[in-house]
Amino acid sequence: MNTKLSDWALRIFVILYACACVWLIIKECSIAKEIKNEKNIITMIAENMIEFEDIEFCWIDEVGNDCCIDSLKDYSCSPSITLDIEDLKSILNKDYYIEKQENTALGMYKPIAMLKFNDKSSNRYSVTFSFLNAEVRFYRNDEIQRVMMMYDSDQILQIFYKF
């Protein structure tokens, strides 16, 4: 009698475990679809989906010592340089960036350049560039939206030196 009870308990456990695995797979697939369907800033610029204005570039002189590295308010920047939409497109060319995978170790993040611009619906975008680890962080209204890696950081740096 005891073996029949343990056999049924084992069968029920296996069925519940299989159901949990299937649920997790379905959930992971739906999250991946949401990320693929999400339009990022680079895509919006490349496809001219949104008009941008007040485009500025500046070098980051210093990041506050006692601050969160993602708090843009604590950045001390050089005077801003005004850019046009073509400059923005050349900097945010989608061929220069690749998606950061979850398990990619990037090393130390120290931003040295920032790109700022607005869209017509008064969203404020900021893009910070860390050439130390080839990382780019995209912010909308001072909240981080996406982290990417620079595919060719030398090319981007050459564009910045033109300003």
Side-chain angles (χ1 to χ4, degrees):
M1 175 85 172
N2 206 7
T3 59
K4 287 185 179 182
L5 185 62
S6 65
D7 287 345
W8 277 105
L10 183 62
R11 289 177 186 158
I12 291 171
F13 173 76
V14 169
I15 290 171
L16 290 174
Y17 183 76
C19 290
C21 289
V22 169
W23 177 75
L24 288 173
I25 291 170
I26 291 170
K27 183 179 176 184
E28 185 175 325
C29 289
S30 66
I31 290 172
K33 284 182 183 178
E34 288 175 14
I35 291 173
K36 286 181 182 177
N37 292 335
E38 176 185 309
K39 295 283 187 181
N40 62 29
I41 297 171
I42 294 175
T43 306
M44 290 188 299
I45 290 171
E47 296 175 358
N48 291 327
M49 295 176 57
I50 298 176
E51 290 186 39
F52 295 104
E53 58 190 12
D54 301 328
I55 305 165
E56 298 175 341
F57 170 79
C58 66
W59 294 103
I60 299 172
D61 296 330
E62 184 178 354
V63 177
N65 292 334
D66 298 330
C67 74
C68 172
I69 195 75
D70 287 324
S71 176
L72 300 176
K73 295 173 183 146
D74 293 329
Y75 288 8
S76 172
C77 297
S78 64
S80 297
I81 301 167
T82 304
L83 306 177
D84 61 13
I85 191 69
E86 295 305 319
D87 293 330
L88 180 66
K89 286 182 182 180
S90 69
I91 294 169
L92 295 181
N93 183 340
K94 65 182 178 177
D95 296 333
Y96 297 150
Y97 305 94
I98 56 176
E99 290 290 330
K100 175 190 170 290
Q101 302 300 320
E102 289 181 24
N103 57 355
T104 305
L106 294 177
M108 190 169 160
Y109 176 73
K110 183 176 184 327
I112 64 165
M114 184 173 2
L115 191 61
K116 301 180 278 190
F117 49 94
N118 298 326
D119 65 12
K120 295 289 183 180
S121 58
S122 71
N123 286 319
R124 180 79 176 154
Y125 296 92
S126 300
V127 183
T128 58
F129 297 85
S130 172
F131 291 95
L132 188 61
N133 63 349
E135 184 176 338
V136 179
R137 295 186 182 181
F138 294 87
Y139 300 85
R140 183 175 56 225
N141 299 328
D142 294 334
E143 291 182 22
I144 192 160
Q145 299 295 313
R146 173 165 272 160
V147 177
M148 297 182 79
M149 296 175 62
M150 289 181 261
Y151 181 73
D152 189 358
S153 59
D154 290 335
Q155 184 71 26
I156 296 170
L157 200 54
Q158 292 302 320
I159 293 171
F160 289 164
Y161 283 141
K162 290 179 185 176
F163 307 129

